[in-house]
Amino acid sequence: FGHTSFPNMERDSPYYALKYWVKSNRIKYKNKECGKKTSLTEEQISLFNKIGFQWNPGGKCRTWEKSYEELKAHYDRYGHTHVSRDTLLGNWLRSQKIRLVT
């Protein structure tokens, strides 16, 4: 394949588990870069870097305020806060809802 990006795929795809393993490692790396604790080691990061792994295809650390401003802009434009889970904003909104109920 020559890259570490994955398109949308069905659960029965042979690469589905790999896609989510890659995604979880990107999240761990992002958390580490943002100063949060993570189980991702420097050795693992080095191994990923050796294959030219693309860590952050979506951007840098997102602050709560930046995500809120994006949600507000979405609301101002569309009149609702229904955001696709397949976006950074959608993932952030989902995490906020989870925190509210726990």
Side-chain angles (χ1 to χ4, degrees), residues 29-88:
Y29 182 80
K30 179 179 136 187
N31 287 340
K32 189 176 191 79
E33 289 291 297
C34 293
K36 297 178 183 175
K37 284 197 152 216
T38 177
S39 61
L40 190 65
T41 67
E42 292 300 323
E43 181 182 3
Q44 291 168 328
I45 292 170
S46 178
L47 289 170
F48 277 118
N49 288 339
K50 284 181 182 178
I51 63 167
F53 189 77
Q54 185 180 8
W55 286 107
N56 203 359
K60 295 204 179 234
C61 300
R62 296 172 58 84
T63 63
W64 188 93
E65 291 80 8
K66 180 178 178 180
S67 296
Y68 172 78
E69 288 301 321
E70 287 182 23
L71 181 62
K72 185 177 181 308
H74 179 89
Y75 178 81
D76 291 345
R77 182 171 184 183
Y78 299 107
H80 61 78
T81 58
H82 305 289
V83 182
S84 171
R85 286 187 183 180
D86 295 338
T87 65
L88 290 173

Side-chain angles (χ1 to χ4, degrees), residues 85-96:
R85 286 187 183 180
D86 295 338
T87 65
L88 290 173
L89 182 59
N91 284 328
W92 175 81
L93 185 57
R94 183 172 171 263
S95 73
Q96 299 309 300

